[in-house]
Amino acid sequence: MANAKRNTTQIDNHEFPGRFRLVQEMLAVSPLQTYRRSAWELAEQLSFPSKKDEAWRWVDLSELNFAELRQVNGSARTAVLAADKLESFIRNEKSYLGSLIVSPAGVIRQVDAQAEHAGVIFTDFRTAEKEYPELVAKFAGSVVKPDESKFAAMTAALAEDGFLLYVPTNCRLEKPFLVQILAAAGNHQATFTHTLIWLEAGASADLELAFGSLPAGSASQTFHSGIVEVHLDDEAVLNLTEIQEFDHQVWNITHERAQVGRNTRLAWLYGALGTHLSKNFVDIDLLGRDAEVQVKGFYLTDDKQHIDLDTQQNHLAARTTSNLLFKGAVTESSAAVWEGMIYVAPTAMQTDGYQSSRNLVLSRSAKVNAIPGLEILADDVRCSHGATVGKIDEEELFYLQARGIPLLDAEQLILEGFFGEVLELTPDEAIKEDLKSKISKKFAEVRSRREHTEVG
Amino acid sequence: MAQLEIQNLHVQVEDNEILRGFNLTVKQGEIHALMGPNGTGKSTLAYAIMGHPRYQITEGDILLDGESILDLSPDERSRRGIFLAFQYPVAIPGVTLANFLRVAINARRKAEDPEDKGISIVKFRQMLKAKMELLKMDPAFAGRYLNEGFSGGEKKRAEILQMAMLEPRFAILDETDSGLDIDALRIVSEGVNALAGDHIGILIITHYQRMLNYIKPDFVHIMYGGRIVESGKAELALRLEESGYAWVREKYGPLPKEEEELTS
Ligand SMILES: Nc1ncnc2c1ncn2[C@@H]1O[C@H](COP(=O)(O)OP(=O)(O)OP(=O)(O)O)[C@@H](O)[C@H]1O
Ligand SMILES: [Mg+2]
């Protein structure tokens, strides 16, 4: 009975649109008017994902206070944060071809003039809508469809933040781009972001994409929903490093997909450290022959975090290769889910597909679910998968301890080594070091809490 | 009283008693060799001294400089100066040999002085380079993941490199000679000799005379059925090399396990 009662409150609470509105002035100037309107209608029609939906069965949204959520629009946006505070997020430690900070509080953009001259477009989503309406209208919704979930539809309709990176045919960029997407924090604010990464034939680029939070106004629930659309035309090459480090009060849902053409190379490094709860769909469609994709991911969860990653490698053309490895460690009372699927279409002969997930459980109340899947409809393919969940090896710990390294340091060293394999995917030493130190910092926090409770 | 004293040690692994009243004292400056048939408990002894949690001490004591170390964790024992070169070194994926050694050295410094900022990179590199040269190791090993994909002999050499870097007061070398080719055996033995001296006591666990040709032991002990049954000088090792353990079995009878098998 208690359950039934809870369900009714949940439905009330999750009534759409709640406090969300399609802002007419915004629509009026948007090249995505039709797209946004029909997405809004979809958002009204589609039901909230629940545990009854296969893809959402590990995701518990009942505690999300949806009715309270509101998007910061229009003039209220700039009031979110003083501009000088936003500048404190600027990172100058290395030379980027372009860097972009996108947030409800404003945008800070810098881009190499020569790259712009060569036809590269690198700008925040709202500016892209205004200045490149044809491109945005062509790209938006071509890779991730608004009907993929209620959240995808809401995001398609409402996104004001995000960015466009467009690299024209045969334009090869040597230096990386950096984008920091900062969501509003606290005060039940919701941020919707739409990201378009579009490489024309023979183009190549490196992009570091970081999701984070603005300084929090309050500790209340905060919401982010994002769409990430990646398109690689034939022969294009993209190194994408994505790191999610939202504050712990953020509920985060993303629909991310890359569609890659003939003889493309995509390396996608995906790290998840933040949020209270995350549900991420990370899909790869291999559409052209000889495409090669590598996806490596990591997650390290603490406290009561729940991170749920759903990956798909869809082989839709012959002689395509995909190689996916996710590594995770769960601590304290947190939980992580990785569910993967390799799909091989009947025509995708000579596919080479691999997926694997390796997990370490570092506390008794932490949980991991790692579920690989294969659906192969073609002959003459090489596909395999593996998933492991275990503890840190006792013999490894003892070996390090026998060299004088205290237990917790030994655990940290093993953990850093464990994640090292995944970080190898980025060719950029600075990014690698940065991610390493983020992982170490988070683990050090877990450690110090543990040391305190053990002493106390 | 710089010595490592093992007194009447009884050790169980998963309810099987492996060590049954083991006694041995190793003083600084001494080299002891411990020999004995397979499964007699030599590695068990080494693990028990190092404090492996799976090896339960049910009776007896291990004293370092007159103080029991049984309550110390393995890392504390290491930092007090005990070193074990493993018979089967463990691979640590993703952790380079150099990084691992730096962490190990810094752990020692930090234990001595909580304010310590760690060894300088330059000093560490110089030290590592010198010790690797001593053991004629390819410098590339420093950047490789610890023991991962190392050949048997390479692992053993890396163990002695660790010993050289950590400068222990008591070192137990558990079959360091096995897996080494003839040249490597000489190089590693010379390396150990270079580390030997008045400031260190060494216990060499081995099956063969070959390492003892380079590293001259002061004492040789034969272990059988979980304790030392014979002790002598270097000649004892030569006797084993010639005639095996048959005379030991004859003199001390079959082991309890073997007895069970005989009667059933
Ligand atoms: N973790 C363990 N679990 C079960 N039995 C064990 C374990 N460790 C040791 N033993 C048993 O204890 C006995 C002694 O083993 P130990 O490794 O100490 O022998 P050893 O003298 O080092 O032999 P070797 O010369 O082959 O290295 C063996 O019978 C072994 O099977
Ligand atoms: Mg042994």
Side-chain angles (χ1 to χ4, degrees):
Chain A
M1 271 294 101
N3 251 348
K5 212 168 168 186
R6 187 162 178 187
N7 274 340
T8 32
T9 50
Q10 180 186 328
I11 289 161
D12 288 342
N13 185 24
H14 286 64
E15 201 74 62
F16 184 81
R19 301 168 72 166
F20 294 115
R21 299 285 173 271
L22 256 188
V23 180
Q24 295 308 318
E25 307 89 85
M26 194 265 276
L27 269 192
V29 297
S30 170
L32 300 178
Q33 221 181 100
T34 335
Y35 168 84
R36 287 184 186 271
R37 273 190 212 284
S38 65
W40 179 264
E41 278 164 27
L42 271 171
E44 287 178 319
Q45 286 158 23
L46 292 168
S47 53
F48 264 96
S50 80
K51 290 188 157 191
K52 287 187 204 112
D53 302 303
E54 174 92 17
W56 298 81
R57 66 188 191 279
W58 311 103
V59 185
D60 185 357
L61 296 172
S62 61
E63 303 277 315
L64 174 65
N65 195 349
F66 188 80
E68 286 292 321
L69 294 180
R70 61 202 166 84
Q71 187 180 15
V72 194
N73 321 86
S75 56
R77 286 166 60 86
T78 45
V80 170
L81 191 80
D84 59 329
K85 284 223 180 117
L86 196 58
E87 277 173 17
S88 69
F89 285 90
I90 295 177
R91 284 165 34 183
N92 291 324
E93 71 268 34
K94 100 177 169 223
S95 61
Y96 292 101
L97 208 52
S99 71
L100 187 60
I101 298 177
V102 182
S103 81
V107 170
I108 298 178
R109 175 174 163 273
Q110 167 264 311
V111 61
D112 180 84
Q114 279 189 328
E116 277 197 317
H117 192 72
V120 172
I121 302 169
F122 180 61
T123 190
D124 67 284
F125 195 71
R126 289 307 310 276
T127 307
E129 273 189 291
K130 274 187 221 120
E131 295 180 8
Y132 308 96
E134 293 86 12
L135 288 185
V136 171
K138 180 182 163 200
F139 300 160
S142 67
V143 179
V144 174
K145 303 278 180 256
D147 66 1
E148 294 186 17
S149 81
K150 192 179 190 88
F151 294 112
M154 282 171 65
T155 310
L158 295 171
E160 295 206 35
D161 299 302
F163 67 96
L164 164 67
L165 170 62
Y166 172 80
V167 187
T169 308
N170 289 331
C171 178
R172 298 187 174 272
L173 302 170
E174 302 299 333
K175 283 193 288 179
F177 290 94
L178 168 68
V179 179
Q180 297 176 77
I181 295 184
L182 302 171
N187 302 326
H188 300 282
Q189 295 180 86
T191 306
F192 295 93
T193 66
H194 199 148
T195 289
L196 300 170
I197 300 168
W198 203 275
L199 271 60
E200 298 286 14
S204 80
D206 274 28
L207 172 67
E208 190 183 342
L209 170 58
F211 286 94
S213 293
L214 290 169
S218 80
S220 71
Q221 286 184 350
T222 309
F223 183 76
H224 169 259
S225 179
I227 288 178
V228 175
E229 305 190 66
V230 179
H231 169 97
L232 300 193
D233 223 297
D234 296 349
E235 317 269 337
V237 178
L238 175 66
N239 276 310
L240 174 59
T241 301
E242 184 177 342
I243 169 86
Q244 181 275 102
E245 40 181 355
F246 285 123
D247 283 352
H248 271 41
Q249 70 213 70
V250 175
W251 295 59
N252 170 45
I253 291 161
T254 64
H255 289 80
E256 313 183 33
R257 181 173 300 118
Q259 292 190 330
V260 304
R262 190 174 42 77
N263 207 22
T264 47
R265 300 288 175 269
L266 169 65
W268 192 346
L269 176 59
Y270 195 99
L273 295 175
T275 72
H276 170 69
L277 176 143
S278 274
K279 174 72 190 179
N280 310 102
F281 295 92
V282 180
D283 298 351
I284 312 287
D285 293 344
L286 298 107
L287 298 176
R289 282 174 168 254
D290 300 303
E292 274 184 40
V293 174
Q294 296 225 52
V295 188
K296 302 233 159 129
F298 66 87
Y299 39 94
L300 170 60
T301 59
D302 68 3
D303 196 16
K304 294 192 173 68
Q305 283 188 297
H306 179 101
I307 288 183
D308 185 322
L309 293 151
D310 206 306
T311 66
Q312 285 198 20
Q313 297 146 267
N314 298 314
H315 290 261
L316 306 169
R319 294 201 311 259
T320 46
T321 303
S322 74
N323 187 343
L324 178 141
L325 169 66
F326 270 68
K327 282 189 157 188
V330 289
T331 70
E332 300 182 332
S333 305
S334 64
V337 178
W338 168 82
E339 186 157 13
M341 173 61 79
I342 297 181
Y343 169 79
V344 182
T347 49
M349 308 292 269
Q350 287 163 296
T351 283
D352 196 333
Y354 181 72
Q355 63 172 341
S356 130
S357 167
R358 315 250 165 256
N359 298 277
L360 292 176
V361 180
L362 302 183
S363 107
R364 241 177 270 166
S365 19
K367 280 195 206 67
V368 175
N369 255 314
I371 312 148
L374 294 177
E375 192 181 338
I376 299 174
L377 305 179
D379 307 323
D380 187 20
V381 299
R382 246 183 34 198
C383 284
S384 57
H385 62 73
T388 58
V389 175
K391 293 199 286 193
I392 288 185
D393 186 83
E394 301 262 324
E395 300 306 318
E396 289 181 27
L397 277 179
F398 176 69
Y399 187 77
L400 297 183
Q401 279 187 284
R403 299 301 182 240
I405 301 172
L407 183 64
L408 292 176
D409 291 303
E411 274 190 2
Q412 174 147 0
L413 198 57
I414 290 170
L415 210 68
E416 286 167 6
F418 172 74
F419 285 122
E421 182 187 357
V422 166
L423 303 185
E424 287 303 319
L425 187 63
T426 169
D428 189 312
E429 282 304 316
I431 294 181
K432 207 181 295 176
E433 286 309 312
D434 182 45
L435 295 179
K436 249 189 217 170
S437 73
K438 281 177 174 146
I439 291 171
S440 301
K441 184 165 161 264
K442 181 159 185 182
F443 189 67
E445 286 164 13
V446 173
R447 267 184 64 166
S448 78
R449 285 196 289 272
R450 214 163 92 195
E451 276 163 354
H452 280 112
T453 51
E454 271 165 20
V455 169
Chain B
M1 260 217 300
Q3 58 184 31
L4 182 66
E5 244 175 300
I6 299 138
Q7 296 178 342
N8 186 33
L9 199 67
H10 289 253
V11 175
Q12 279 189 5
V13 188
E14 281 152 25
D15 293 337
N16 295 321
E17 182 164 65
I18 311 292
L19 296 195
R20 304 180 172 102
F22 186 98
N23 288 291
L24 177 67
T25 298
V26 178
K27 295 199 171 82
Q28 264 183 350
E30 292 177 351
I31 298 178
H32 293 243
L34 183 65
M35 306 179 79
N38 292 130
T40 200
K42 302 180 297 297
S43 295
T44 301
L45 171 74
Y47 279 130
I49 294 172
M50 212 62 242
H52 194 298
R54 200 144 11 101
Y55 296 77
Q56 260 190 309
I57 293 170
T58 53
E59 214 184 314
D61 209 346
I62 304 170
L63 309 176
L64 181 64
D65 305 338
E67 262 180 66
S68 173
I69 59 166
L70 293 189
D71 288 337
L72 300 184
S73 62
D75 51 300
E76 285 170 316
R77 296 182 196 200
S78 163
R79 293 196 302 269
R80 296 265 175 112
I82 302 177
F83 180 87
L84 168 61
F86 282 63
Q87 182 175 3
Y88 303 110
V90 180
I92 315 279
V95 178
T96 62
L97 179 60
N99 185 28
F100 155 71
L101 279 170
R102 206 164 49 82
V103 173
I105 287 172
N106 286 340
R108 293 178 135 62
R109 295 170 57 122
K110 194 133 199 229
E112 255 169 50
D113 170 16
E115 299 297 305
D116 185 79
K117 293 275 173 282
I119 185 169
S120 83
I121 301 278
V122 177
K123 205 173 152 210
F124 174 75
R125 285 214 185 115
Q126 282 170 351
M127 184 172 168
L128 184 60
K129 187 164 172 268
K131 307 290 182 183
M132 288 183 91
E133 273 167 16
L134 172 76
L135 292 161
K136 303 206 167 44
M137 276 177 89
D138 180 348
F141 272 94
R144 281 183 58 181
Y145 295 148
L146 185 54
N147 292 324
E148 199 164 67
F150 285 24
S151 77
E154 287 163 353
K155 282 184 191 166
K156 296 306 173 77
R157 209 183 284 221
E159 291 293 290
I160 301 306
L161 174 71
Q162 293 173 43
M163 174 178 162
M165 292 292 284
L166 299 179
E167 299 172 344
R169 294 192 298 137
F170 291 94
I172 304 151
L173 311 187
D174 192 355
E175 295 197 29
T176 298
D177 57 341
S178 71
L180 293 174
D181 68 41
I182 294 160
D183 295 332
L185 178 68
R186 181 178 44 78
I187 292 161
V188 169
S189 301
E190 283 168 2
V192 173
N193 277 333
L195 301 173
D198 291 344
H199 55 283
I200 185 171
I202 300 178
L203 178 63
I204 296 173
I205 297 172
T206 182
H207 286 295
Y208 303 101
Q209 173 62 33
R210 59 197 177 194
M211 195 176 216
L212 306 180
N213 289 335
Y214 296 102
I215 310 170
K216 300 284 178 221
D218 303 301
F219 307 95
V220 174
H221 312 276
I222 299 176
M223 186 171 176
Y224 183 67
R227 61 202 164 84
I228 289 176
V229 292
E230 295 271 337
S231 292
K233 296 279 173 187
E235 304 79 59
L236 194 53
L238 293 169
R239 178 168 178 202
L240 285 180
E241 186 98 337
E242 268 165 32
S243 46
Y245 290 102
W247 64 273
V248 179
R249 287 208 173 83
E250 205 144 290
K251 190 164 166 191
Y252 296 96
L255 297 174
K257 242 193 221 155
E258 293 168 348
E259 235 165 344
E260 273 167 40
E261 275 158 28
L262 287 175
T263 50
S264 61

